[in-house]
Amino acid sequence: MAKIHELIVDLNSFEFKKTIDVVLDPDFTEEIKLTSAAETHIELYKDKDSIIVTGSVKTILEENCARCLKEVSIPIEGTIEATYVLQDSVVFEEDRTSADLDNVLRLEGDLLDLSERVIEAIIVEVPQKVLCKRDCAGLCPYCGANLNDEQNHSCQKREEIQDEWHKAISDLREKLKS
Protein backbone atom coordinates (compact mmCIF):
# COMPACT_ATOMS: atom_id res chain seq x y z
CA MET A 1 0.00 0.00 0.00
CA ALA A 2 1.07 3.54 -0.68
CA LYS A 3 1.86 6.31 1.70
CA ILE A 4 0.49 9.85 1.73
CA HIS A 5 3.62 11.29 0.07
CA GLU A 6 2.38 9.83 -3.22
CA LEU A 7 -0.29 12.56 -3.23
CA ILE A 8 2.37 15.28 -3.52
CA VAL A 9 2.63 16.17 -7.20
CA ASP A 10 5.47 18.06 -8.87
CA LEU A 11 3.71 20.28 -11.39
CA ASN A 12 6.78 20.19 -13.63
CA SER A 13 6.48 16.40 -13.96
CA PHE A 14 3.70 16.56 -16.57
CA GLU A 15 2.65 18.80 -19.43
CA PHE A 16 -1.14 18.54 -19.86
CA LYS A 17 -2.65 15.64 -17.91
CA LYS A 18 -1.60 13.38 -15.06
CA THR A 19 -3.43 10.44 -13.52
CA ILE A 20 -2.77 9.15 -10.02
CA ASP A 21 -4.15 5.80 -8.89
CA VAL A 22 -3.07 5.00 -5.37
CA VAL A 23 -4.29 2.81 -2.52
CA LEU A 24 -3.56 4.56 0.76
CA ASP A 25 -3.01 2.85 4.13
CA PRO A 26 -6.01 3.20 6.49
CA ASP A 27 -3.80 5.17 8.88
CA PHE A 28 -2.75 7.80 6.31
CA THR A 29 -4.65 10.42 8.31
CA GLU A 30 -5.28 10.94 12.00
CA GLU A 31 -8.36 13.11 11.34
CA ILE A 32 -10.66 10.17 10.58
CA LYS A 33 -10.70 6.52 11.60
CA LEU A 34 -10.59 4.35 8.48
CA THR A 35 -11.06 0.59 8.65
CA SER A 36 -10.02 -0.13 5.07
CA ALA A 37 -7.55 1.23 2.56
CA ALA A 38 -8.54 4.37 0.64
CA GLU A 39 -8.68 3.59 -3.08
CA THR A 40 -7.92 6.94 -4.70
CA HIS A 41 -8.15 7.97 -8.35
CA ILE A 42 -7.13 11.52 -9.25
CA GLU A 43 -6.78 13.30 -12.60
CA LEU A 44 -4.98 16.60 -12.96
CA TYR A 45 -5.41 18.84 -15.99
CA LYS A 46 -3.12 21.77 -16.66
CA ASP A 47 -4.61 24.91 -18.10
CA LYS A 48 -2.94 28.25 -18.79
CA ASP A 49 -3.32 29.66 -15.26
CA SER A 50 -4.79 26.74 -13.35
CA ILE A 51 -4.72 23.08 -12.44
CA ILE A 52 -8.08 21.29 -12.44
CA VAL A 53 -8.29 18.32 -10.08
CA THR A 54 -11.02 15.66 -10.27
CA GLY A 55 -11.26 12.19 -8.87
CA SER A 56 -12.77 9.80 -6.40
CA VAL A 57 -11.97 7.99 -3.19
CA LYS A 58 -13.50 4.76 -1.83
CA THR A 59 -13.00 3.56 1.71
CA ILE A 60 -14.78 2.48 4.89
CA LEU A 61 -14.64 4.56 8.03
CA GLU A 62 -15.76 3.96 11.57
CA GLU A 63 -17.92 6.33 13.61
CA ASN A 64 -19.96 5.94 16.78
CA CYS A 65 -23.75 5.77 16.72
CA ALA A 66 -25.19 9.08 17.91
CA ARG A 67 -27.68 7.30 20.20
CA CYS A 68 -26.02 4.16 21.62
CA LEU A 69 -22.32 4.88 20.89
CA LYS A 70 -21.85 1.50 19.15
CA GLU A 71 -19.17 1.56 16.41
CA VAL A 72 -20.65 1.73 12.91
CA SER A 73 -18.85 1.03 9.62
CA ILE A 74 -19.75 3.51 6.89
CA PRO A 75 -18.84 2.85 3.24
CA ILE A 76 -17.62 6.06 1.61
CA GLU A 77 -17.51 6.99 -2.07
CA GLY A 78 -16.30 10.58 -2.19
CA THR A 79 -15.71 12.97 -5.06
CA ILE A 80 -12.53 15.01 -5.33
CA GLU A 81 -12.94 18.40 -7.02
CA ALA A 82 -10.72 21.46 -6.91
CA THR A 83 -9.28 24.14 -9.10
CA TYR A 84 -5.90 25.58 -8.22
CA VAL A 85 -5.21 28.98 -9.75
CA LEU A 86 -2.10 31.09 -9.94
CA GLN A 87 -2.18 33.90 -7.44
CA ASP A 88 -2.14 36.58 -10.16
CA SER A 89 -4.95 35.10 -12.30
CA VAL A 90 -7.75 35.49 -9.72
CA VAL A 91 -8.07 38.41 -7.37
CA PHE A 92 -8.29 37.17 -3.79
CA GLU A 93 -9.62 40.21 -1.97
CA GLU A 94 -9.47 40.46 1.80
CA ASP A 95 -13.25 40.38 2.21
CA ARG A 96 -13.75 37.67 -0.47
CA THR A 97 -11.39 34.84 0.29
CA SER A 98 -10.79 31.72 -1.75
CA ALA A 99 -13.20 29.93 0.60
CA ASP A 100 -16.01 32.01 -0.94
CA LEU A 101 -15.26 30.50 -4.35
CA ASP A 102 -16.34 26.88 -4.86
CA ASN A 103 -13.22 24.70 -4.53
CA VAL A 104 -10.93 27.40 -5.94
CA LEU A 105 -7.58 27.44 -4.16
CA ARG A 106 -4.34 29.36 -4.57
CA LEU A 107 -1.53 27.65 -6.37
CA GLU A 108 1.76 28.47 -4.75
CA GLY A 109 5.01 26.82 -5.80
CA ASP A 110 5.65 23.77 -7.96
CA LEU A 111 4.46 21.12 -5.51
CA LEU A 112 0.78 20.34 -5.04
CA ASP A 113 -0.29 18.35 -1.97
CA LEU A 114 -3.59 16.61 -2.72
CA SER A 115 -3.92 14.86 0.64
CA GLU A 116 -6.26 17.56 1.98
CA ARG A 117 -8.56 17.09 -1.04
CA VAL A 118 -8.74 13.33 -0.37
CA ILE A 119 -9.51 13.86 3.32
CA GLU A 120 -12.11 16.50 2.43
CA ALA A 121 -13.79 14.12 -0.06
CA ILE A 122 -14.12 11.51 2.70
CA ILE A 123 -15.33 13.88 5.42
CA VAL A 124 -18.12 15.47 3.35
CA GLU A 125 -19.63 12.01 2.75
CA VAL A 126 -19.99 11.21 6.47
CA PRO A 127 -23.63 11.62 7.56
CA GLN A 128 -24.26 14.38 10.09
CA LYS A 129 -25.96 11.91 12.41
CA VAL A 130 -24.63 8.36 12.34
CA LEU A 131 -27.01 5.66 13.55
CA CYS A 132 -26.30 1.94 13.94
CA LYS A 133 -29.86 1.28 12.77
CA ARG A 134 -32.77 3.52 11.92
CA ASP A 135 -34.75 2.70 15.09
CA CYS A 136 -31.83 2.70 17.52
CA ALA A 137 -33.22 2.99 21.05
CA GLY A 138 -30.09 4.60 22.47
CA LEU A 139 -28.90 4.50 26.07
CA CYS A 140 -30.86 4.58 29.31
CA PRO A 141 -30.67 8.17 30.61
CA TYR A 142 -30.31 6.91 34.18
CA CYS A 143 -27.81 4.04 34.09
CA GLY A 144 -26.41 4.14 30.54
CA ALA A 145 -27.53 0.62 29.55
CA ASN A 146 -27.84 -0.01 25.81
CA LEU A 147 -31.61 -0.19 25.22
CA ASN A 148 -31.09 -2.12 21.97
CA ASP A 149 -29.65 -5.03 23.97
CA GLU A 150 -32.17 -4.78 26.84
CA GLN A 151 -35.55 -4.14 25.22
CA ASN A 152 -37.48 -4.66 28.45
CA HIS A 153 -35.07 -2.58 30.47
CA SER A 154 -36.51 -1.20 33.69
CA CYS A 155 -33.98 0.98 35.42
CA GLN A 156 -33.75 0.88 39.20
CA LYS A 157 -31.86 4.20 39.23
CA ARG A 158 -34.79 6.50 38.43
CA GLU A 159 -33.15 9.41 40.20
CA GLU A 160 -32.33 11.97 37.52
CA ILE A 161 -29.23 14.07 37.93
CA GLN A 162 -30.27 17.59 37.03
CA ASP A 163 -28.07 20.42 35.92
CA GLU A 164 -28.85 23.99 37.07
CA TRP A 165 -31.06 24.79 34.08
CA HIS A 166 -33.24 21.68 34.44
CA LYS A 167 -33.43 22.20 38.21
CA ALA A 168 -34.68 25.78 37.69
CA ILE A 169 -37.36 24.59 35.24
CA SER A 170 -38.43 21.85 37.66
CA ASP A 171 -38.65 24.36 40.52
CA LEU A 172 -40.68 26.75 38.36
CA ARG A 173 -43.04 23.93 37.39
CA GLU A 174 -43.57 23.08 41.10
CA LYS A 175 -44.26 26.77 41.92
CA LEU A 176 -46.84 26.99 39.12
CA LYS A 177 -48.65 23.88 40.42
CA SER A 178 -49.07 25.36 43.92
Side-chain angles (χ1 to χ4, degrees), residues 7-154:
L7 292 177
I8 299 174
V9 179
D10 182 354
L11 298 177
N12 296 319
S13 67
F14 68 101
E15 198 168 328
F16 300 111
K17 180 182 175 184
K18 181 175 182 96
T19 301
I20 301 171
D21 286 307
V22 65
V23 178
L24 298 166
D25 291 328
D27 61 350
F28 84 93
T29 177
E30 294 176 5
E31 294 178 47
I32 42 183
K33 185 178 178 184
L34 300 180
T35 58
S36 76
E39 299 172 23
T40 308
H41 172 78
I42 301 174
E43 292 183 355
L44 292 94
Y45 302 93
K46 260 189 194 176
D47 196 10
K48 180 181 170 193
D49 295 332
S50 62
I51 305 290
I52 299 167
V53 179
T54 62
S56 62
V57 60
K58 289 182 181 181
T59 189
I60 298 174
L61 68 84
E62 206 162 88
E63 281 286 323
N64 291 334
C65 175
R67 293 182 186 159
C68 70
L69 304 178
K70 177 182 172 185
E71 288 187 343
V72 180
S73 292
I74 304 168
I76 298 290
E77 290 189 28
T79 302
I80 300 167
E81 293 179 334
T83 303
Y84 289 87
V85 294
L86 294 172
Q87 198 164 347
D88 300 338
S89 63
V90 173
V91 177
F92 289 91
E93 300 171 13
E94 299 228 358
D95 57 338
R96 183 174 162 91
T97 64
S98 60
D100 295 332
L101 305 171
D102 289 339
N103 292 326
V104 177
L105 307 161
R106 277 189 195 159
L107 181 60
E108 297 173 4
D110 292 335
L111 293 179
L112 187 57
D113 185 356
L114 298 172
S115 61
E116 289 297 318
R117 303 294 68 80
V118 173
I119 294 167
E120 176 183 89
I122 295 170
I123 289 174
V124 299
E125 292 300 317
V126 178
Q128 285 185 337
K129 187 174 187 178
V130 175
L131 296 177
C132 61
K133 58 184 181 179
R134 192 172 225 162
D135 60 342
C136 176
L139 301 175
C140 173
Y142 306 107
C143 69
N146 188 334
L147 299 177
N148 297 312
D149 299 337
E150 302 177 35
Q151 294 177 352
N152 296 325
H153 177 73
S154 177

